[in-house]
Amino acid sequence: MKTKRSRTNVELENLLRQLGLALEASGIGIWQHNIAKNQTRWDEQLKAIYGVPKAPLDVIWLESVHPDDLAPTNEIFLRAIETKSDYASEFRITRPDGAIRYLRSRARYFVDAAGDPCFVGAEWDVTDDVLLNKELERSREEARLAADHDHLTGLLNRRSFDFALSEFARKESVNVTLFHIDVDHFKEINDRFGHAVGDFVLCHVSRILLKAISAGGVAARLGGDEFAILIPEDESARINAVLDHIQESLGSPIPVGDQTLIVRCSIGVASAASADFAKLLSHSDLALYHAKRNGRNRAEVFCDEMASALANERQLVQDLRSGLALGQIRPFYQVQVDAKTFRINGVEALARWHHPTRGILAPAHFLSVASSNGLVAELDDVILKAVLSDMESWASLLAGIRVSVNLSADRLDDPEWISKLGSFDIPPGRLSFELIETIFLDSLSDQVRENIQTIKSFGIDIEIDDLGSGHASLLGLLELRPDRVKIDRQLVMPILQSVPSRRLVSSLVDIARALDMEVIAEGVETLDHARVLADLGVHTLQGYAFGRPQSYADLTARLEREALEFQQAGAISAC
């Protein structure tokens, strides 16, 4: 019997030793709390967790709990006492060395042999798990942020913007206003200053838009230089306040190296109730389109007339494509005359569209549409081929007469077109390309400079149009060395009444002569204009005083008539 009891005691001791080792390995501390006596016993492992030497019956648990967790943790314990139920809690403690640890505590209610209510529980350190979970949550939050926001500006991205718009649409009787925003000439900013400055500009615009929205508003970068903001209201006063803030803030220059840059934006605005949100984006986009078409750096608010205008423009584009294919685009010609003899010494080819229902249309009705829809190159080719064909049929009538053709700036930067130009049979000295002066705002690129020299090598003259109204510098004229310059009609028309205008025209003539360039004056309305301009030294005159633009047939008849009159005059003088 004694042997059996001894064996049982040994087994119990081994079991207790194994339990202790297991608890020590697990890092779990054990405690027991006598509720009636308010006494707590901790084992050595729990003392190590708290970092305190503890006498057997000291109650210092709440002194170690982190101040921010003290009230809720104690409340959970008191509720377990009150309900005589199991206890479970997680809280932070502050160890004597200042370290903050996260603990998990579990306990079970029981009544001991003396009849006292008690808890026996276990606590273990879960700091590593908690911190790992926090890091994982932070990573998930960063991933969500990256998925929902533009990486450069921090604004919402297109996906999140669409979601925000759909959330507004779920609400009943909600009115919102959408501002659709594009940075004006952003490609030129990137090309001139580099992509780092372009990114800086995008961030600059983003900060302005964030400040423009109020609580409940949304700002997003939709892509590239395209932005949008939503505000949950459609009152005109609020819309105007947002626009004023954006435009005033954009008016402040930003530093770019040793220069400053003023960023401009075009803005399209549309408002709608939640039931009509499907149209909101298309309406704001249409308003933005009109803002760009009307000169940029402005805001346009959608109206129904815009949709009608766009439909008409789309029809016009379709008609223009057909017109180019069907030969409806033909040159008309306006004569240019010698300022002293008034004899024709040149003609300018001007595009005219023989529209099947709207009659003959001047470029003002279709050139901007052609430009915005990539049809200018085709338009240039059609006119040039028609002019060369007309010149061939006029061979006997064009002795000493030059034909000038307007050339768009884009063609000067197109080496393929220059190569194709060399394949045309162009009589040397008979054709001139007229370039708009404003293409020389900046210095010529190497490609443009090379292409102009190639054009000259084909025996084609170069003219600069609208001299005095653009921004060509004298150095630019000296570098380009055009054969002729044309004084803008806005400077010509007031010379009869304005002495300063006459002096300005005279100065331009002197500059052109100093650079060995001929001078053409356009907008010559009367013979009085013609006489004054001749006295100022202008070589060639063009305007209604000598004829309006006319068709190939009408000009042919005029050239034949004048050739006959010249022959008859020569015959009379010979007699």
Side-chain angles (χ1 to χ4, degrees), residues 28-212:
I28 296 176
I30 304 298
W31 59 270
Q32 181 173 327
H33 180 71
N34 186 302
I35 300 172
K37 298 176 181 178
N38 195 24
Q39 292 178 345
T40 304
R41 297 177 182 274
W42 285 4
D43 69 356
E44 294 301 319
Q45 184 67 26
L46 193 58
K47 295 176 189 177
I49 291 175
Y50 277 76
V52 294
K54 183 180 180 301
L57 299 179
D58 291 342
V59 181
I60 65 164
W61 170 59
L62 291 179
E63 298 174 9
S64 298
V65 175
H66 190 283
D68 292 343
D69 297 346
L70 181 59
T73 300
N74 192 42
E75 181 181 350
I76 293 172
F77 189 59
L78 293 177
R79 187 162 57 249
I81 293 174
E82 180 181 354
T83 58
K84 300 179 180 180
S85 59
D86 291 348
Y87 161 77
S89 179
E90 292 187 16
F91 50 86
R92 290 168 293 173
I93 64 168
T94 304
R95 290 164 55 98
D97 59 5
I100 296 176
R101 308 299 292 177
Y102 292 79
L103 301 188
R104 183 170 294 157
S105 183
R106 298 290 184 270
R108 174 147 293 181
Y109 177 86
F110 74 99
V111 178
D112 67 8
D116 291 337
C118 297
F119 279 104
V120 61
E123 289 183 7
W124 59 99
D125 192 320
V126 293
T127 303
D128 291 343
D129 291 342
V130 171
L131 294 182
L132 177 60
N133 288 334
K134 286 181 178 291
E135 180 63 24
L136 291 174
E137 181 58 34
R138 187 183 66 82
S139 297
R140 284 192 289 267
E141 182 61 29
E142 288 179 353
R144 284 193 295 269
L145 190 67
D148 295 340
H149 292 75
D150 174 58
H151 72 282
L152 176 65
T153 64
L155 299 182
L156 294 181
N157 57 24
R158 180 59 183 260
R159 185 178 69 86
S160 297
F161 172 79
D162 291 341
F163 178 77
L165 188 59
S166 67
E167 287 298 296
F168 275 118
R170 294 175 187 274
K171 302 176 182 178
E172 295 183 2
S173 304
V174 173
N175 296 324
V176 302
T177 298
L178 170 59
F179 299 76
H180 205 156
I181 302 148
D182 268 8
V183 179
D184 291 340
H185 306 295
F186 183 69
K187 182 180 183 300
E188 288 83 348
I189 293 173
N190 263 338
D191 291 345
R192 181 178 178 186
F193 297 105
H195 289 281
V197 171
D199 289 348
F200 179 74
V201 166
L202 295 177
C203 292
H204 170 69
V205 173
S206 299
R207 288 190 292 270
I208 290 173
L209 299 185
L210 279 175
K211 291 181 180 179

Side-chain angles (χ1 to χ4, degrees), residues 409-414 418 435 439-440 443-455 480:
D410 289 343
R411 308 317 300 279
L412 285 177
D413 205 22
D414 183 356
I418 298 298
L435 312 178
I439 68 171
F440 302 105
S443 60
L444 298 175
S445 69
D446 291 339
Q447 183 67 65
V448 170
R449 188 182 295 108
E450 179 182 339
N451 289 346
I452 289 176
Q453 293 306 316
T454 302
I455 290 172
L480 180 63

Side-chain angles (χ1 to χ4, degrees), residues 189-339:
I189 293 173
N190 263 338
D191 291 345
R192 181 178 178 186
F193 297 105
H195 289 281
V197 171
D199 289 348
F200 179 74
V201 166
L202 295 177
C203 292
H204 170 69
V205 173
S206 299
R207 288 190 292 270
I208 290 173
L209 299 185
L210 279 175
K211 291 181 180 179
I213 61 176
S214 55
V218 172
R221 181 187 176 197
L222 303 184
D225 63 325
E226 184 183 2
F227 297 86
I229 58 177
L230 278 170
I231 58 172
E233 49 196 311
D234 62 353
E235 292 84 358
S236 58
R238 177 59 182 149
I239 294 173
N240 291 334
V242 172
L243 289 174
D244 288 345
H245 172 84
I246 295 172
Q247 292 170 328
E248 288 175 8
S249 300
L250 288 172
S252 301
I254 58 176
V256 177
D258 57 354
Q259 306 178 56
T260 57
L261 174 66
I262 295 181
V263 181
R264 303 296 190 190
C265 288
S266 298
I267 306 173
V269 183
S271 301
S274 54
D276 297 319
F277 277 6
K279 301 177 182 178
L280 195 59
L281 273 172
S282 61
H283 287 177
S284 65
D285 189 55
L286 185 54
L288 174 61
Y289 173 78
H290 277 265
K292 292 179 179 179
R293 285 293 304 273
N294 292 334
R296 301 179 185 269
N297 187 30
R298 61 187 294 120
E300 295 284 352
V301 179
F302 173 81
C303 61
D304 292 336
E305 289 76 10
M306 289 181 178
S308 176
L310 180 61
N312 291 336
E313 181 172 314
R314 286 175 175 167
Q315 183 62 52
L316 186 65
V317 172
Q318 183 176 338
D319 290 349
L320 182 57
R321 293 185 191 277
S322 299
L324 288 166
L326 297 174
Q328 296 173 358
I329 312 296
R330 289 282 306 167
F332 267 38
Y333 299 93
Q334 187 172 29
V335 298
Q336 299 169 337
V337 302
D338 183 279

